[in-house]
Amino acid sequence: MSVEILDGATIVNFMEDEEAFNVQICDRFAHLDSDHDGRLSYGEMLKELQCLRVFETHFGVDVETDPDELVRVYDSLFVQFDHDLNGTVDLEEFKSETRQMMLAMANGMGFLPVQMVLEEDSFLKKAAEWESAKLVA
């Protein structure tokens, strides 16, 4: 984990760079697709869903939650990704829903800088690194 400063524009600009965004999407999808069949099962997606940390308070300290509630939340999140409801998530579904979630985060953050603790391989971390690289170039 690392502490980064970012705002909604960081996320939006990263997604507008189609090449950078697609590379990250494809890399993440390939990492999650452990059986290399081009689709993500619920089991393969579960680690990614857990990384969203939907039950978190401040500074990475997790809230104790009911295991049944967690199952319901992760099931619901999986269905959001599985647009055609065939029980798996393909690359286009993964890309589309990831884009929607990132846009929702950007809209929620607004354009005032926020200091955040980010997982090393998260899309938000990749967006912050992308922005830093652009500033150096």
Side-chain angles (χ1 to χ4, degrees), residues 9 14 18 20 36 47 49 54 58 60-61 75 79 88 96 102 125 133 135:
F14 173 65
E18 285 290 325
H36 310 291
K47 181 180 177 189
L49 297 174
V54 293
H58 300 305
V61 177
D75 287 350
V79 169
T88 61
S96 173
M102 289 185 72
K125 174 70 173 170
L135 293 173

Side-chain angles (χ1 to χ4, degrees), residues 2 22 25 34 36 88 118:
S2 66
N22 286 336
I25 288 289
S34 59
H36 310 291
T88 61
L118 302 177

